[in-house]
Amino acid sequence: MTRPFNFSPGPAVLPDEVLQQAASEMLDWHGSGMSVMEMSHRGKEFISIAEQAEADLREILAIPANYKVLFMQGGAIAENAIVPMNLSRGGRADYVVTGSWSVKSAKEARKYCEVHVSATNEADHHTTLPAYGSWKLSDNAAYVHVCSNETIHGVEMHELPDLAALGSKAPLVIDASSHICSRTVDWSRVGLAYAGAQKNIGPSGLTLVIVREDLIGHALPITPSAFDYKIVADNGSMYNTPPTYPWYLAGLVFQWIKRQREGDLTGLAAIEARNITKAKLLYDYIDASGFYVNKVAANCRSRMNVPFFLPKDELNDAFLAGAKAAGLVQLKGHKSVGGMRASIYNPMPVAGVQALVAYMKDFAASHG
Ligand code: PMP
């Protein structure tokens, strides 16, 4: 069966191979006579799935040994509360605002700590990245929070800030939900990364937290036990029943990432090279088209989420209907921004972006 190219922002496209493998193992995982959904999380079968997934993720992202990998629930929205509960010690935290998701993070954190907004691109309608040197960082912040890829506005940090070089002693916390596993991470600059799984990793219901060991163990007394990073870490993410099936599917996706090849490149390097190619194809066409517009500054255009506008909103419905007929689905932009958005996560092949560009050309030619 050929499926349409799926540009959903999330829950998003998964590799065919992964879905086929999951389907073939649905009733009987590796001769166990059980679906992964039916297994005790404490049984040897699921423990082997869980350990393999963590080992593969550590390998893909080159996560240093002094970082814990936690498999949690609640999504990135819950982490907006869980991070300040665990890291703020009730003091002050710096937040950098670059789009809707970091606006939400800062708002939620105000319930648990003093929030200082160190920089914002609000005046540019979230289309720029405030220069790192301009950030007004506090002397006493418990952490500095950024959203390293703004899914709605399409603003990505292509290099993470080096907080020490900017004069801050605080650890950097990144909401990496919509670009985790799309590129390498410089862990020397990161204290904690969190990500909902439903973009590049698997189905919704699983939240990854990758945290430097020294940052855990200081949760506020009000922190629910299931959300206390120390308790979660000490129990191997099994203090409460973890989202076992999404954990398993994430593991299949990690193995898929490891199998990728692009020229001489393998694994995440191959994925990253392909992501660069895909994004360049789309942005180059949009810029040259004289019809479509992407408003994000060139130095921070997201490789994963590409919002774009047609010359007139009245054309949007016709564009989406024609796209669907051409086998290109879920292109509608977020309601707060309007227009279109193509999310081109890891499993989107180059051919999918080529098909999108070909359709956009035809549409422009007949509506220009
Ligand atoms: N942060 C970012 C960057 C996101 O893209 C999303 C989901 N689109 C969220 C947070 C919220 O995730 P969830 O709904 O899974 O909590």
Side-chain angles (χ1 to χ4, degrees):
M1 173 200 178
T2 50
R3 306 195 300 151
F5 292 117
N6 182 347
F7 296 91
S8 170
V13 58
L14 285 163
D16 285 0
E17 282 171 46
V18 164
L19 296 177
Q20 278 155 357
Q21 187 177 346
S24 75
E25 295 176 346
M26 180 61 77
L27 293 178
D28 179 11
W29 183 83
H30 294 204
S32 65
M34 295 180 277
S35 170
V36 175
M37 268 181 265
E38 302 172 308
M39 289 174 184
S40 164
H41 55 301
R42 303 197 190 281
K44 69 176 184 340
E45 293 89 353
F46 187 75
I47 295 287
S48 73
I49 291 170
E51 287 178 352
Q52 189 63 49
E54 178 174 339
D56 287 338
L57 179 67
R58 284 184 175 277
E59 183 185 328
I60 292 166
L61 286 179
I63 300 171
N66 64 327
Y67 285 65
K68 298 283 188 195
V69 178
L70 312 178
F71 292 77
M72 299 180 66
Q73 305 190 43
I77 296 250
E79 290 302 324
N80 285 341
I82 297 169
V83 166
M85 280 195 271
N86 277 276
L87 263 52
S88 73
R89 307 192 196 193
R92 176 183 251 234
D94 285 345
Y95 277 72
V96 174
V97 167
T98 52
S100 301
W101 292 112
S102 43
V103 166
K104 268 208 167 110
S105 298
K107 186 166 177 234
E108 182 75 0
R110 285 198 179 92
K111 294 182 185 170
Y112 306 99
C113 64
E114 184 197 340
V115 167
H116 171 246
V117 175
S118 296
T120 172
N121 64 358
E122 227 140 12
D124 298 324
H125 306 287
H126 306 308
T127 58
T128 55
L129 185 57
Y132 295 161
S134 72
W135 294 6
K136 302 216 167 10
L137 299 170
S138 310
D139 293 336
N140 57 346
Y143 61 90
V144 178
H145 179 284
V146 303
C147 177
S148 45
N149 186 63
E150 289 279 1
T151 322
I152 293 176
H153 290 90
V155 172
E156 182 168 11
M157 295 181 174
H158 290 295
E159 194 188 355
L160 292 172
D162 179 354
L163 292 185
L166 296 174
S168 167
K169 289 187 288 294
L172 181 69
V173 172
I174 63 175
D175 175 355
S177 293
S178 49
H179 72 164
I180 190 165
C181 291
S182 72
R183 58 190 307 152
T184 54
V185 178
D186 180 352
W187 292 104
S188 73
R189 296 188 175 182
V190 178
L192 183 152
Y194 64 88
Q198 68 270 24
K199 288 110 172 31
N200 263 336
I201 289 177
S204 57
L206 169 68
T207 317
L208 284 179
V209 176
I210 303 166
V211 55
R212 219 175 58 211
E213 275 166 357
D214 61 289
L215 298 176
I216 65 176
H218 314 285
L220 300 177
I222 57 158
T223 307
S225 304
F227 292 150
D228 180 327
Y229 292 144
K230 176 94 170 66
I231 294 175
V232 178
D234 287 351
N235 288 279
S237 300
M238 298 203 188
Y239 172 74
N240 55 340
T241 310
T244 52
Y245 199 75
W247 190 333
Y248 153 74
L249 269 183
L252 297 187
V253 171
F254 299 150
Q255 285 167 18
W256 174 83
I257 292 175
K258 285 175 60 176
R259 288 196 301 274
Q260 298 309 297
R261 300 277 177 278
E262 202 64 45
D264 294 340
L265 302 172
T266 57
L268 189 63
I271 290 273
E272 181 162 3
R274 201 181 297 154
N275 286 335
I276 291 170
T277 302
K278 282 156 29 185
K280 184 166 165 26
L281 250 172
L282 188 49
Y283 286 114
D284 282 356
Y285 169 65
I286 290 171
D287 289 344
S289 69
F291 187 85
Y292 305 97
V293 176
N294 168 278
K295 299 178 181 171
V296 178
N299 70 342
C300 57
R301 284 174 158 184
S302 170
R303 288 178 190 161
M304 296 284 103
N305 310 98
V306 184
F308 62 90
F309 298 88
L310 279 64
K312 286 189 299 234
D313 283 347
E314 296 77 68
L315 292 173
N316 289 351
D317 288 345
F319 181 90
L320 288 167
K324 190 164 181 220
L328 310 163
V329 298
Q330 307 212 64
L331 280 161
K332 192 171 178 182
H334 190 271
K335 58 184 183 309
S336 65
V337 173
M340 304 296 146
R341 172 174 44 164
S343 295
I344 48 177
Y345 297 120
N346 291 346
M348 175 62 63
V350 175
V353 179
Q354 286 167 334
L356 173 61
V357 168
Y359 168 70
M360 289 169 74
K361 277 185 188 162
D362 285 350
F363 188 89
S366 53
H367 293 82

